[in-house]
Amino acid sequence: MRGGMKDVYFGPDKSYVVAFYRDKQDYNSRERLKKLVTQYYDSFFNREGGDYYKELYCWPTDMVEVDGKVGLVVPAYNKNFFFKKGYATSEGIKGKEKQGLWFASAKFRNKQFTLRLDESELGNWLSYFQICVRIARGVKRLHAAGLAHSDLSYKNVLIDPVSKSATIIDIDGLVVPGLYPPDVIGTADFIAPEVLATKHLNLRDPSRKHANRTTDLHALAVMIYMYLLYRHPLKGGKINSLDTEEDDLLSMGEKALFIEHSTDTSNRPKLDQVSKWALPWADVTKLPYTLTGPYLRTLFDQAFVTGLHNPILRPNADTWEQALLKTTDLMQPCSNTHCEQKWFVFDNSASPKCPFCGTPVKGTVPVLDLYFEFKPTIWKPENHRLMVYHNQYLFQWHVNRHVVRNEKLTAEQKIPVGYFTFHQNKWVFVNQKLTSLKDLTENKEIPVNTMVDITDGKRLLLSKEEGGRVVVVSMANK
């Protein structure tokens, strides 16, 4: 295949490709590539947790030279990153790479659109949270190593909603701050406003802004917003110039404005101007960003209001990861079997319902607020709650605050410790592994393989060990 800068050839067994640069690479460029396949490869993959990252990045493994041309040896993508089916109406994209752009747009999932994706490829709403967690972890690890991606976009991230996996590609463009400047300005839609606002300046002008860690954070926020809401956070109805090219430059650069800004509504999408295929997602009144829950709402405000033109205030990748994970604890499965999204973030309002299909929540739903021991006998809320649904698991990272839910979890830590179920017309928790579970309300121990009723006001000590939490139950939708 012929890419933008390279010609790509399969290896004989198709397990790897060799990508040759068409242009001659200077000394600096060669040194950078050499570092990527040796020093950085080693620090990412040849240590604890390396296997997790091997799946998360498509990282070059070697550098070769033939007839003066520099090439990189790169592993071939996993099979799940290629479409198994074509469009719902034709073979079309069967066998093509699952670039994220296919999944970040409303039209490719619109039942009336001819080129819509086959339903079996789409996953459900929860799948995209799990994908975003992986992408955030990938960005977090790059930044921890002092690297920036420089062209983070849905073209350089392959995703598979079915297996809930993602892989970051185009690693050869990584920026090592102060050592190797970026080759590219980025992909339209994901370029940070400060980069666009200064791109007219000379390449070496000290005022010109280049791709770096904070521009990655803008791109990450845009990607998360698009994967969850299938629209762009800055592309609204406001016109900043009658010249199309200049308007685009201003709207995404110097004059960029969040389409769901709470006080300045001038960039709201105008529904009579949006494509019919973009509905209902383009309607920010019907499907506002607040339906992603309180943790993500705060981060979207940080990314697209306070941090939009002030890069230092953008949320970092670890903050996104934790907010996404905490939001999955607020999710409920929709009881409507025909609901396209299948999951939603529970909104504890007077009459909670699925925001996507309008199906009301039936019956009472237990809400567990997590508390930690601030000082001996003094317990404080952790700003973390768990919404309960039938047959939902409880894990060690809920039980003990010293177990952090991240990529370093051991196989043992991923095993559920118990589950909630609606049994004989009441909610119960079945204890499978907790050795010091105590019902504080009734003042009695709950041994392994027994169950405890989950009722309004119930307090449970999940573990007596250091870091063990208490949960307080309240019943929603009573």
Side-chain angles (χ1 to χ4, degrees):
M1 282 180 75
R2 196 174 162 85
M5 298 159 75
K6 302 184 281 289
D7 295 319
V8 185
Y9 302 88
F10 262 118
D13 66 354
K14 297 206 169 182
S15 68
Y16 67 92
V17 297
V18 185
F20 286 102
Y21 287 90
R22 283 193 286 278
D23 296 340
K24 197 172 167 58
Q25 299 298 296
D26 62 16
Y27 174 78
N28 251 7
S29 226
R30 284 163 185 259
E31 285 302 300
R32 178 167 71 101
L33 297 174
K34 212 177 282 178
K35 253 191 162 173
L36 281 178
V37 300
T38 54
Q39 183 189 326
Y40 285 114
Y41 184 91
D42 194 52
S43 72
F44 271 70
F45 307 111
N46 293 338
R47 57 175 59 183
E48 191 193 7
D51 287 347
Y52 182 89
Y53 294 112
K54 267 187 183 148
E55 284 183 24
L56 196 46
Y57 305 109
C58 194
W59 200 289
T61 55
D62 207 353
M63 184 175 154
V64 293
E65 201 164 334
V66 179
D67 302 332
K69 282 198 169 180
V70 170
L72 288 174
V73 178
V74 187
Y77 305 139
N78 280 346
K79 286 188 178 69
N80 56 314
F81 293 119
F82 296 93
F83 282 105
K84 289 181 179 61
K85 295 203 172 176
Y87 299 116
T89 50
S90 70
E91 288 291 276
I93 48 167
K94 189 178 178 180
K96 294 252 172 55
E97 294 160 12
K98 290 186 182 179
Q99 284 190 345
L101 62 91
W102 292 105
F103 303 97
S105 160
K107 68 180 176 185
F108 295 119
R109 56 182 63 240
N110 190 310
K111 287 233 162 64
Q112 269 65 56
F113 189 55
T114 342
L115 301 182
R116 73 186 183 279
L117 297 177
D118 192 90
E119 224 165 282
S120 64
E121 301 276 19
L122 287 175
N124 57 50
W125 205 47
L126 181 57
S127 319
Y128 294 90
F129 278 80
Q130 289 155 320
I131 283 164
C132 289
V133 164
R134 293 180 82 84
I135 298 167
R137 282 177 181 163
V139 174
K140 174 181 76 172
R141 180 68 185 88
L142 288 176
H143 291 177
L147 300 167
H149 187 282
S150 84
D151 192 7
L152 195 63
S153 75
Y154 51 32
K155 284 190 174 173
N156 288 329
V157 178
L158 303 182
I159 74 169
D160 175 33
V162 182
S163 62
K164 305 167 183 60
S165 49
T167 189
I168 298 171
I169 64 173
D170 258 23
I171 295 291
D172 56 300
L174 286 183
V175 176
V176 184
L179 198 53
Y180 307 115
D183 293 330
V184 289
I185 185 173
T187 300
D189 285 4
F190 294 88
I191 304 167
E194 65 273 16
V195 174
L196 281 176
T198 60
K199 87 172 199 163
H200 62 283
L201 299 172
N202 186 292
L203 200 61
R204 298 282 166 249
D205 188 313
S207 302
R208 179 159 173 178
K209 300 288 184 273
H210 296 282
N212 59 37
R213 194 184 70 86
T214 57
T215 64
D216 272 1
L217 295 177
H218 172 76
L220 177 63
V222 171
M223 213 182 307
I224 292 170
Y225 184 92
M226 291 188 80
Y227 283 145
L228 301 183
L229 296 160
Y230 317 125
R231 58 179 179 246
H232 195 283
L234 306 178
K235 290 188 160 183
K238 190 174 188 179
I239 293 165
N240 289 297
S241 168
L242 294 175
D243 177 301
T244 316
E245 208 171 307
E246 191 185 356
D247 179 55
D248 206 42
L249 197 61
L250 289 170
S251 304
M252 301 293 277
E254 190 189 332
K255 306 264 181 168
L257 176 68
F258 184 31
I259 61 169
E260 299 190 70
H261 197 291
S262 58
T263 53
D264 185 345
T265 57
S266 59
N267 198 26
R268 293 247 155 165
K270 293 182 170 60
L271 296 187
D272 56 345
Q273 292 171 10
V274 302
S275 152
K276 64 177 178 179
W277 310 122
L279 292 168
W281 296 95
D283 186 344
V284 298
T285 307
K286 189 176 180 183
L287 293 170
Y289 75 120
T290 50
L291 61 80
T292 61
Y295 310 121
L296 291 178
R297 178 197 179 155
T298 303
L299 294 197
F300 285 137
D301 284 340
Q302 248 179 284
F304 302 131
V305 181
T306 51
L308 188 61
H309 298 287
N310 195 346
I312 205 77
L313 298 178
R314 290 171 191 158
N316 65 28
D318 181 51
T319 309
W320 280 111
E321 179 193 342
Q322 294 310 319
L324 287 158
L325 289 170
K326 280 167 79 172
T327 303
T328 61
D329 278 344
L330 297 179
M331 291 179 94
Q332 286 276 306
C334 180
S335 60
N336 172 11
T337 49
H338 300 293
C339 178
E340 285 177 22
Q341 302 304 319
K342 304 276 188 288
W343 290 84
F344 64 95
V345 174
F346 186 88
D347 166 23
N348 199 2
S349 57
S351 49
K353 60 178 189 281
C354 170
F356 306 118
C357 69
T359 306
V361 174
K362 293 188 190 106
T364 59
V365 184
V367 185
L368 273 55
D369 280 297
L370 274 53
Y371 284 73
F372 71 100
E373 195 168 23
F374 176 64
K375 284 179 187 164
T377 73
I378 297 174
W379 294 79
K380 286 197 169 182
E382 206 148 348
N383 187 27
H384 186 172
R385 53 173 33 175
L386 183 64
M387 295 299 313
V388 172
Y389 52 85
H390 182 55
N391 289 344
Q392 182 197 23
Y393 288 121
L394 188 77
F395 290 93
Q396 280 193 38
W397 57 78
H398 297 125
V399 171
N400 194 308
R401 71 192 313 244
H402 296 324
V403 179
V404 182
R405 188 180 174 189
N406 61 21
E407 68 282 7
K408 292 177 185 150
L409 284 172
T410 63
E412 176 65 27
Q413 288 170 331
K414 291 177 187 174
I415 298 169
V417 294
Y419 63 92
F420 299 91
T421 188
F422 195 64
H423 176 67
Q424 294 178 346
N425 253 352
K426 60 181 183 181
W427 286 100
V428 294
F429 173 70
V430 179
N431 180 13
Q432 292 174 297
K433 283 182 171 293
L434 298 174
T435 52
S436 54
L437 177 64
K438 187 176 182 186
D439 181 339
L440 298 176
T441 311
E442 304 280 332
N443 193 24
K444 64 178 187 191
E445 309 288 328
I446 312 297
V448 172
N449 294 329
T450 67
M451 57 192 187
V452 57
D453 290 355
I454 297 296
T455 52
D456 202 29
K458 174 81 77 179
R459 289 179 305 127
L460 297 172
L461 173 66
L462 300 180
S463 168
K464 287 178 182 162
E465 289 174 25
E466 195 195 333
R469 289 191 177 100
V470 162
V471 292
V472 177
V473 180
S474 53
M475 286 298 189
N477 203 29
K478 284 187 280 197

